[in-house]
Amino acid sequence: MLANRARCGLADGMTDDTPIASPGRSVGVVKSHDVTLGVPLRLELGGTLPSLEFRYETYGVLNATRSNAVLIPHALSGDHHVAGKYSPEDAKPGWWDAFVGPGKMVDTDKFFVIGLNCLGGCRGSTGPLSNDPQTGKPYGGDFPEITCGDIVVAQRRLVEHLGIKKLHAIVGGSKGGMQALLWAADHAEAVDRVVTLACGLRQPPQALALNAIARASILADPRYRGGHYQTGEGPEDGLAVARMVGHVSYLSPAAFEKKFARETVPGAQPSDPVYWQIESYLRHQGDAFVRRFDANTLIRITRAVDRFDLTARAKAGKLFKPDGPAILAVAFSTDGLYPPSEVKAIAAAAGSRGTYFEVETDAGHDAFLLSNESLFAQVRGFLV
Amino acid sequence: MLANRARCGLADGMTDDTPIASPGRSVGVVKSHDVTLGVPLRLELGGTLPSLEFRYETYGVLNATRSNAVLIPHALSGDHHVAGKYSPEDAKPGWWDAFVGPGKMVDTDKFFVIGLNCLGGCRGSTGPLSNDPQTGKPYGGDFPEITCGDIVVAQRRLVEHLGIKKLHAIVGGSKGGMQALLWAADHAEAVDRVVTLACGLRQPPQALALNAIARASILADPRYRGGHYQTGEGPEDGLAVARMVGHVSYLSPAAFEKKFARETVPGAQPSDPVYWQIESYLRHQGDAFVRRFDANTLIRITRAVDRFDLTARAKAGKLFKPDGPAILAVAFSTDGLYPPSEVKAIAAAAGSRGTYFEVETDAGHDAFLLSNESLFAQVRGFLV
């Protein structure tokens, strides 16, 4: 058994020790909002959700013409808490605090920024932890399969609920970028500019393999029980290993070298379960993840991400409309999950409305969470 | 829980569906041998094994001067069954059958080839499945920590037992290559030529991270029980996931693309635990591994491999003797575990006695198990 731990709703970010530098000012103390929209959602793969709950945050001010809204959909394990802190003493800001704020890459002096927990999530929006109205109990393992398309349809409902007919922009990294692309493809009339970071037109086979292992690890945990577990009694060990698998793909070999090399834990013995600093880091990431994430959500969301594939539509020339949103596709040179070759396919599919921008970095996939002035300048210019 | 399965001693190869082409003839029907050497082995990290059991095979004929022996140490999950079949009907030859036989890369018309299960293994040599003479029961989780150096010292004892003072060559891939390097470094007087494939002078940090996850997966399985489990009642689910983690690193992204792309399992539903062909492949690899491998061995051997690091000795110029064996270091262009940069360090450390050879391939790390005529020619030339 891994270390003893309890699952609770701590609001930590996407990764648990990402170094965050904040060149601009902070959005300050923020709070999240909850809303329930009563219109049923028919899901792409079958089934209906009778209503949609959302947890979201906003930063900046919506202008009179309601034309300055920027949506920031989160990646696999992120949430609605994009920027700011919940109190002045809060040690940890939102997961993209370095990117969003007054004078920052997404400038809250200009834009009204929306962060929301996605459909299927476990941080306040409708997902496996929500009550199934048919049974009065949490859906758990009975939560229906969802697609990235469903997630985006749900997002659009919240955006419209906030009185916004057309977004100025969507800026999303990794799974957030996939959602941004679906806005551009299927909701082109509702968005003007799209920025994707560290994603491509599809889930590549190796990324799919890693998610398959993450799911297998959860399903192998005897406490998974078909997805019907009580909070704190779920498949925490399997979920921790699943997260460890993810983390190996978030860092590049060079980043592992730089961060840990072959350092050992001081005082550790060769027969100890945790001997290497890398081992300690991965265990820590796994344990921290279990405290804030739900196994059923990880299964549903990785399946949704794995199904994401716009390549056939792109090949047929039917993905993006000629008068659709402009698209900036950002690649990170050492991203092993969504390498530059995958990102270039986005810009190619967008034709004259597409721009490709590559950030030179040795940080791997996680580079989309790290401050980078050339990236900030590029995106700022694109959002004007 | 993963699929139901039973652990037994089937003699399958290192990977379970590696395509094997055999350009030369087969060594034919072979049998394995068992021997117990009664001299205690003091281990590098402490502790003593009172005696050493070995399971081994030999192919070809030892010449009168006992100067034509070639040792083939296996990789992480391989064994003594390098080539040939156990009966004419045997569907599966040894794990390097394409490489070893009459007229093949390691030509058994010329050489006397030795394959053996390594110390710490689970296929017949002394390891966690062996009886601890102090208790009369299997060591299990009490088997001591071993190093690659211990493995090599044990190997040398078997070689000497066979009446061989000096090996003509050692040819090893991956972990087998690490052992070959330790022969060159610490037993230089006992070997004339060393060929390493798909390994470097150390376990690189990312490879270490993957092994850390494999161990965490086993330790998280409640059936691990501190390593004291009965055969068939062990941490099979954790071990299967551990193997899946390994397999992602054995293939390159291009190999995943070519082998599976984004194909789904015919008839599978989106909510099924196994939906993608990749998922099915990885599950199959995990399940097949559990039938032939022991979790305690995987823990001990991955720890031994993770500790492997000759870089400090190389940096100090003290790794290889000027009159030591010639070393051919073979890299595979898309090997993500031991990339060409790591392999070049071997040739650099060997100076004028080192040769670097890179095989262009999209198969990733597993390329060292695949037939390749340019590789065969290079190694044949080196072994003459």
Side-chain angles (χ1 to χ4, degrees):
Chain A
M1 301 283 280
L2 301 184
N4 187 35
R5 58 182 105 72
R7 195 179 150 283
C8 60
L10 289 179
D12 43 2
M14 181 165 315
T15 58
D16 297 287
D17 63 357
T18 306
I20 293 180
S22 299
R25 284 166 291 135
S26 169
V27 297
V29 173
V30 300
K31 59 179 183 175
S32 60
H33 311 280
D34 290 319
V35 65
T36 301
L37 305 181
V39 182
L41 177 69
R42 290 193 61 179
L43 299 168
E44 214 177 318
L45 296 172
T48 299
L49 293 167
S51 65
L52 297 177
E53 301 160 45
F54 290 98
R55 184 162 293 163
Y56 67 99
E57 294 182 7
T58 67
Y59 324 110
V61 180
L62 187 61
N63 64 13
T65 54
R66 299 173 179 264
S67 63
N68 70 332
V70 176
L71 178 70
I72 300 189
H74 62 79
L76 191 65
S77 61
D79 60 17
H80 52 280
H81 186 39
V82 176
K85 296 182 171 194
Y86 288 134
S87 73
E89 299 76 32
D90 191 350
K92 195 150 191 172
W95 59 266
W96 234 21
D97 194 71
F99 292 64
V100 176
K104 295 189 182 179
M105 183 185 90
V106 179
D107 187 349
T108 52
D109 284 340
K110 290 182 188 167
F111 300 119
F112 176 71
V113 175
I114 307 162
L116 83 173
N117 187 214
C118 79
L119 177 70
C122 54
R123 311 276 301 149
S125 294
T126 297
L129 296 178
S130 306
N131 273 345
D132 178 351
Q134 289 193 321
T135 65
K137 293 179 186 164
Y139 284 101
D142 294 332
F143 193 76
E145 294 299 315
I146 56 172
T147 65
C148 288
D150 294 329
I151 292 172
V152 165
V153 168
Q155 280 169 352
R156 188 168 178 185
R157 291 200 185 164
L158 178 73
V159 167
E160 288 177 349
H161 167 78
L162 296 175
I164 296 153
K165 289 222 162 61
K166 188 171 193 171
L167 291 163
H168 176 71
I170 303 171
V171 185
S174 201
K175 167 180 146 276
M178 296 175 181
Q179 292 161 42
L181 288 172
L182 283 167
W183 276 86
D186 297 331
H187 307 268
E189 70 284 4
V191 58
D192 202 44
R193 291 168 175 79
V194 161
V195 182
T196 70
L197 304 97
C199 78
L201 284 180
R202 60 165 196 167
Q203 176 78 331
Q206 189 179 264
L208 205 155
L210 291 161
N211 280 346
I213 299 174
R215 289 191 293 270
S217 175
I218 293 168
L219 296 177
D221 189 323
R223 305 211 309 172
Y224 181 65
R225 297 188 186 92
H228 297 288
Y229 46 81
Q230 297 294 310
T231 295
E233 297 170 9
E236 300 179 353
D237 292 333
L239 182 60
V241 171
R243 183 59 168 175
M244 292 169 76
V245 171
H247 264 279
V248 169
S249 70
Y250 303 155
L251 297 187
S252 65
F256 273 111
E257 188 80 53
K258 206 162 141 182
K259 270 175 108 99
F260 309 104
R262 293 177 40 81
E263 293 297 318
T264 56
V265 175
Q269 297 303 306
S271 60
D272 286 348
V274 177
Y275 179 69
W276 301 95
Q277 290 287 14
I278 276 181
E279 209 155 27
S280 171
Y281 167 81
L282 291 171
R283 289 285 193 116
H284 166 76
Q285 294 292 347
D287 291 350
F289 189 65
V290 164
R291 289 195 293 272
R292 68 180 172 89
F293 216 80
D294 174 61
N296 282 315
T297 282
L298 194 78
I299 289 176
R300 291 301 177 288
I301 298 289
T302 58
R303 283 191 188 142
V305 165
D306 286 352
R307 278 191 288 268
F308 176 76
D309 186 2
L310 301 176
T311 54
R313 289 171 66 184
K315 206 172 170 186
K318 290 179 181 165
L319 183 57
F320 301 126
K321 293 186 182 71
D323 59 348
I327 300 178
L328 170 63
V330 178
F332 298 90
S333 59
T334 52
D335 185 347
L337 270 185
Y338 307 102
S341 57
E342 299 283 337
V343 182
K344 283 175 186 164
I346 298 173
S352 63
R353 301 193 62 75
T355 304
Y356 173 77
F357 182 72
E358 187 168 323
V359 176
E360 195 65 39
T361 172
D362 64 6
H365 181 66
D366 261 0
F368 86 91
L369 297 168
L370 304 177
S371 287
N372 181 299
E373 262 314 315
S374 77
L375 169 65
F376 289 177
Q378 184 75 20
V379 175
R380 265 194 298 260
F382 182 79
L383 291 181
V384 167
Chain B
M1 301 282 281
L2 302 184
N4 187 35
R5 58 182 105 72
R7 193 178 151 281
C8 59
L10 289 179
D12 44 1
M14 180 166 313
T15 57
D16 296 288
D17 63 359
T18 305
I20 293 180
S22 298
R25 284 166 291 134
S26 168
V27 297
V29 172
V30 300
K31 60 179 183 178
S32 61
H33 310 281
D34 291 319
V35 66
T36 301
L37 305 181
V39 183
L41 177 69
R42 288 193 63 179
L43 300 168
E44 214 177 319
L45 296 172
T48 299
L49 293 167
S51 65
L52 297 177
E53 302 160 45
F54 290 99
R55 184 161 292 164
Y56 67 99
E57 295 182 8
T58 67
Y59 325 109
V61 179
L62 187 61
N63 64 13
T65 54
R66 299 173 180 267
S67 63
N68 70 331
V70 176
L71 178 70
I72 300 189
H74 62 79
L76 190 65
S77 62
D79 60 17
H80 52 280
H81 186 38
V82 176
K85 296 183 169 191
Y86 288 134
S87 72
E89 299 74 33
D90 190 350
K92 196 151 190 172
W95 59 267
W96 234 20
D97 193 71
F99 292 64
V100 176
K104 295 188 181 178
M105 183 184 90
V106 180
D107 187 349
T108 52
D109 284 341
K110 290 182 188 166
F111 300 119
F112 176 70
V113 175
I114 307 162
L116 83 174
N117 187 214
C118 79
L119 177 70
C122 54
R123 312 274 305 148
S125 295
T126 296
L129 296 178
S130 306
N131 273 346
D132 179 351
Q134 289 194 322
T135 64
K137 293 178 187 166
Y139 285 100
D142 294 332
F143 193 77
E145 294 299 315
I146 56 172
T147 65
C148 289
D150 294 328
I151 292 172
V152 164
V153 169
Q155 281 170 353
R156 187 167 179 186
R157 291 200 185 165
L158 178 73
V159 167
E160 288 177 348
H161 167 78
L162 296 175
I164 297 152
K165 288 222 163 60
K166 186 170 194 173
L167 290 164
H168 176 71
I170 302 172
V171 185
S174 200
K175 167 181 148 277
M178 296 175 181
Q179 292 161 43
L181 289 171
L182 283 167
W183 275 86
D186 297 331
H187 307 269
E189 70 285 4
V191 58
D192 202 45
R193 292 167 174 79
V194 161
V195 182
T196 70
L197 304 96
C199 78
L201 284 179
R202 61 166 195 166
Q203 177 77 332
Q206 188 178 266
L208 204 156
L210 290 162
N211 280 345
I213 298 174
R215 288 190 294 271
S217 175
I218 293 169
L219 297 177
D221 189 322
R223 305 211 309 171
Y224 180 65
R225 295 187 186 93
H228 296 289
Y229 46 82
Q230 297 294 311
T231 295
E233 296 170 11
E236 300 179 352
D237 292 334
L239 182 60
V241 171
R243 183 59 168 177
M244 293 169 76
V245 171
H247 264 280
V248 169
S249 70
Y250 303 155
L251 296 188
S252 65
F256 273 112
E257 187 81 52
K258 207 161 139 180
K259 269 175 109 99
F260 309 104
R262 293 178 41 81
E263 293 297 319
T264 56
V265 174
Q269 297 302 308
S271 59
D272 287 347
V274 177
Y275 178 70
W276 302 95
Q277 290 287 13
I278 275 181
E279 209 156 28
S280 170
Y281 167 81
L282 291 171
R283 290 285 193 117
H284 165 77
Q285 294 292 347
D287 291 350
F289 189 65
V290 164
R291 288 195 293 272
R292 69 180 172 88
F293 217 79
D294 173 62
N296 282 315
T297 281
L298 194 79
I299 289 176
R300 290 302 176 290
I301 298 289
T302 57
R303 282 190 187 141
V305 165
D306 287 351
R307 279 191 287 268
F308 176 76
D309 186 3
L310 301 176
T311 54
R313 289 172 66 185
K315 206 173 170 185
K318 289 178 181 166
L319 183 57
F320 301 126
K321 294 186 182 70
D323 59 348
I327 299 178
L328 170 63
V330 178
F332 298 90
S333 57
T334 51
D335 186 346
L337 270 184
Y338 307 102
S341 58
E342 300 282 337
V343 182
K344 283 175 187 165
I346 298 173
S352 63
R353 300 193 62 74
T355 305
Y356 173 77
F357 182 71
E358 186 168 324
V359 176
E360 194 65 39
T361 172
D362 65 6
H365 181 66
D366 260 1
F368 86 90
L369 297 167
L370 304 177
S371 286
N372 181 298
E373 262 315 314
S374 76
L375 169 66
F376 289 176
Q378 183 75 20
V379 175
R380 264 193 299 258
F382 182 80
L383 291 181
V384 168

